[in-house]
Amino acid sequence: MRQWSIAMACRPCSFFFGRNPRTPLTVDLPASAVDPTSLDFVLSFQNRLQQALDVGREGQVRMVAAMDHLRDPTLQYQVGEWAWLASSETPVPGDKHFQCKWMGPFRILDKTISTVSLELPEHWQLTSNTFHVDKIKPYVLREGQPPPPPRPKRFKARPPTALGHIRRISAHRRTGRMQADGRRAQLQYFVHWVGLPQAYGEWLNVEEVLRLPRAEEHIATYCRVFAVPHP
């Protein structure tokens, strides 16, 4: 109330009704008792506000029409088909200059006019599996090519020894509490699996990685190829 009075240089009742009430019972005054100058100002202010809302709605309609004009009418996604997802929308680490531009393919679960919902791996832990069509690319099946095999949705429900064989390691990081030497306690590697696309890689603790076949060899190869010291 005080901020209103300072900003408008008057009280709310004086602004809307043209006078300050002497008692709470005199707030609802008839139109004939309202100051004509104040009433004209309030009515003109309401008209300008309505005009601004109308202009905003017209701008939204024109923007939708412009986007529909640019949209490819032949590009229609259907539920059950497969599509690629832009790598910038995934948690897969890597340098943007050398990383694959598209990840997947993933099965389409739902669609709207401008969005598509995909069946993503649960270990990604994304807040939403719905993306704009600009981030989606159709997966084209060539003649005689079988559809992509079923993808596992969750790895951590199984023990590490059942995950399969490591194809390569592409990144490492440290998480957890900060230690006395300035490094975090838990070391993790980003592991890519044999027989699965790059999008289905995941972060594993170093203890889990070392229980997998040829883990030390892959760690040494990662340090040599990426020129990083042994973590």
Side-chain angles (χ1 to χ4, degrees):
M1 183 69 71
R2 181 176 178 82
Q3 293 179 353
W4 171 282
S5 301
I6 295 175
M8 304 303 298
C10 64
R11 295 183 179 181
C13 290
S14 177
F15 177 79
F16 288 106
F17 299 101
R19 65 178 66 185
N20 291 321
R22 288 175 291 182
T23 64
L25 298 178
T26 59
V27 173
D28 191 11
L29 296 174
S32 59
V34 179
D35 185 19
T37 304
S38 178
L39 181 60
D40 293 340
F41 172 76
V42 172
L43 294 178
S44 63
F45 181 80
Q46 292 177 348
N47 292 333
R48 290 195 300 270
L49 179 60
Q50 186 62 42
Q51 292 175 2
L53 293 176
D54 294 340
V55 170
R57 294 191 183 96
E58 292 177 0
Q60 291 177 347
V61 172
R62 289 196 298 268
M63 182 179 295
V64 171
M67 296 301 295
D68 291 340
H69 179 71
L70 296 176
R71 185 177 291 114
D72 187 0
T74 63
L75 186 59
Q76 299 291 336
Y77 295 97
Q78 301 297 331
V79 176
E81 294 182 348
W82 297 79
W84 301 97
L85 176 63
S87 59
S88 59
E89 304 297 318
T90 68
V92 179
D95 193 313
K96 64 179 180 180
H97 299 289
F98 303 100
Q99 193 179 31
C100 296
K101 187 176 180 180
W102 302 97
M103 295 287 180
F106 303 104
R107 188 184 298 274
I108 298 176
L109 300 178
D110 194 10
K111 70 180 184 69
T112 62
I113 297 178
S114 58
T115 61
V116 173
S117 298
L118 302 178
E119 185 180 12
L120 301 179
E122 293 182 3
H123 66 271
W124 278 9
Q125 298 181 355
L126 298 180
T127 57
S128 175
N129 66 334
T130 303
F131 304 91
H132 194 268
V133 291
D134 291 342
K135 304 296 182 180
I136 303 297
K137 179 180 178 181
Y139 178 77
V140 180
L141 283 174
R142 306 300 180 187
E143 184 177 357
Q145 180 183 1
R151 311 296 193 187
K153 293 183 62 179
R154 189 171 183 86
F155 293 105
K156 295 183 179 179
R158 292 179 277 172
T161 55
L163 297 180
H165 294 273
I166 299 176
R167 179 160 58 94
R168 66 186 181 94
I169 295 176
S170 62
H172 77 280
R173 68 180 182 185
R174 285 188 171 271
T175 60
R177 289 188 174 184
M178 193 71 70
Q179 301 181 113
D181 59 355
R183 301 192 303 176
R184 298 191 178 273
Q186 184 61 58
L187 174 62
Q188 295 181 338
Y189 290 100
F190 194 82
V191 177
H192 300 269
W193 304 106
V194 173
L196 290 178
Q198 181 180 0
Y200 285 84
E202 63 173 331
W203 290 102
L204 288 181
N205 295 335
V206 62
E207 296 83 7
E208 298 175 329
V209 175
L210 292 177
R211 288 198 293 265
L212 296 172
R214 302 175 57 193
E216 296 183 356
E217 177 182 347
H218 286 286
I219 293 176
T221 303
Y222 161 71
C223 295
R224 183 181 69 256
V225 171
F226 291 90
V228 297
H230 195 286

